[in-house]
Amino acid sequence: MQPKVVRSKQIDLKPMDLEEALLQMDLLGHDFFIYVDVEDQTTNVLYRREDGDIGLLEVK
């Protein structure tokens, strides 16, 4: 059986630097966080890796 989307949510992406994005991710208790980089206006994704470190996906 194919997985299905069971929840949908709209979010506003706030421009911030990496430090603030990390703080927001921790405050929310999420394993990932999407934000707009304040310097270059790109959309980035932070995620918590299985080893406990943080990964960063930068959209070019």
Side-chain angles (χ1 to χ4, degrees), residues 4-34:
K4 62 181 178 177
V5 176
V6 295
R7 182 175 177 207
S8 178
K9 183 177 183 179
Q10 293 183 345
I11 59 171
D12 292 322
L13 296 181
K14 177 183 170 193
M16 60 184 72
D17 60 22
L18 178 61
E19 231 177 271
E20 184 178 353
L22 284 165
L23 177 64
Q24 291 296 319
M25 185 173 80
D26 284 342
L27 288 173
L28 292 169
H30 290 172
D31 293 328
F32 70 94
F33 189 77
I34 305 167

Side-chain angles (χ1 to χ4, degrees), residues 25-55:
M25 185 173 80
D26 284 342
L27 288 173
L28 292 169
H30 290 172
D31 293 328
F32 70 94
F33 189 77
I34 305 167
Y35 70 101
V36 174
D37 186 274
V38 73
E39 289 183 19
D40 62 14
Q41 300 302 305
T42 58
T43 301
N44 296 329
V45 179
L46 290 174
Y47 63 96
R48 190 167 315 280
R49 298 168 36 96
E50 287 184 10
D51 62 9
D53 287 335
I54 302 295

